[in-house]
Amino acid sequence: MTGASLIVLAPALAPGARVPRREGVLVGVDGGATKTVAAAFDPDRGRLALAHAGSANARVVGVPAAAGE
Protein backbone atom coordinates (compact mmCIF):
# COMPACT_ATOMS: atom_id res chain seq x y z
CA MET A 1 0.00 0.00 0.00
CA THR A 2 1.81 3.05 -1.21
CA GLY A 3 0.99 6.32 0.52
CA ALA A 4 -1.24 4.72 3.14
CA SER A 5 -1.18 6.34 6.57
CA LEU A 6 -0.04 4.26 9.53
CA ILE A 7 -2.29 6.23 11.87
CA VAL A 8 -5.86 7.17 11.02
CA LEU A 9 -7.40 9.89 13.15
CA ALA A 10 -11.05 9.85 14.07
CA PRO A 11 -12.99 12.34 11.90
CA ALA A 12 -13.42 14.66 14.91
CA LEU A 13 -9.62 14.94 15.24
CA ALA A 14 -8.83 15.44 11.54
CA PRO A 15 -7.37 18.78 10.44
CA GLY A 16 -10.12 21.35 9.93
CA ALA A 17 -12.73 19.34 11.83
CA ARG A 18 -15.12 21.17 14.11
CA VAL A 19 -14.16 20.05 17.59
CA PRO A 20 -16.83 20.29 20.31
CA ARG A 21 -15.93 22.87 22.93
CA ARG A 22 -14.68 20.96 25.94
CA GLU A 23 -12.04 21.82 28.45
CA GLY A 24 -9.06 19.58 28.90
CA VAL A 25 -6.52 17.52 27.06
CA LEU A 26 -6.98 14.03 25.61
CA VAL A 27 -4.23 11.66 26.77
CA GLY A 28 -3.40 8.12 25.69
CA VAL A 29 -0.65 5.90 27.12
CA ASP A 30 0.63 2.51 25.96
CA GLY A 31 2.80 1.06 28.72
CA GLY A 32 4.44 -1.94 27.13
CA ALA A 33 7.11 -4.45 28.03
CA THR A 34 9.86 -2.78 26.00
CA LYS A 35 8.73 0.84 25.81
CA THR A 36 6.06 3.30 26.87
CA VAL A 37 4.48 5.72 24.39
CA ALA A 38 2.24 8.61 25.38
CA ALA A 39 0.26 11.12 23.34
CA ALA A 40 -1.51 14.28 24.49
CA PHE A 41 -3.88 16.27 22.24
CA ASP A 42 -5.13 19.76 23.04
CA PRO A 43 -8.28 20.26 20.94
CA ASP A 44 -8.42 23.99 21.73
CA ARG A 45 -5.02 24.58 20.15
CA GLY A 46 -5.01 21.65 17.73
CA ARG A 47 -1.66 20.53 19.10
CA LEU A 48 -0.37 17.00 19.59
CA ALA A 49 2.58 16.04 21.82
CA LEU A 50 4.24 12.63 21.82
CA ALA A 51 6.70 11.11 24.28
CA HIS A 52 8.39 7.77 24.83
CA ALA A 53 10.27 6.11 27.66
CA GLY A 54 11.34 2.70 28.87
CA SER A 55 9.11 -0.15 29.97
CA ALA A 56 6.15 0.54 32.26
CA ASN A 57 5.18 -3.11 32.55
CA ALA A 58 5.35 -4.07 36.24
CA ARG A 59 5.85 -7.75 35.34
CA VAL A 60 8.98 -6.86 33.37
CA VAL A 61 10.63 -4.13 35.46
CA GLY A 62 8.93 -4.53 38.87
CA VAL A 63 6.33 -2.34 40.53
CA PRO A 64 8.70 0.35 41.94
CA ALA A 65 10.35 0.94 38.54
CA ALA A 66 7.03 0.91 36.67
CA ALA A 67 5.62 3.45 39.13
CA GLY A 68 8.69 5.66 38.73
CA GLU A 69 9.80 5.34 42.34
Side-chain angles (χ1 to χ4, degrees):
M1 279 171 51
T2 305
S5 177
L6 294 176
I7 299 173
V8 178
L9 293 176
L13 300 178
R18 299 182 124 230
V19 179
R21 301 298 297 170
R22 294 184 182 156
E23 292 185 24
V25 176
L26 302 170
V27 177
V29 179
D30 176 9
T34 59
K35 68 182 179 296
T36 299
V37 179
F41 179 70
D42 182 343
D44 288 334
R45 293 187 175 97
R47 296 187 66 187
L48 175 67
L50 302 172
H52 62 87
S55 175
N57 187 315
R59 291 184 180 188
V60 174
V61 297
V63 173
E69 296 177 4

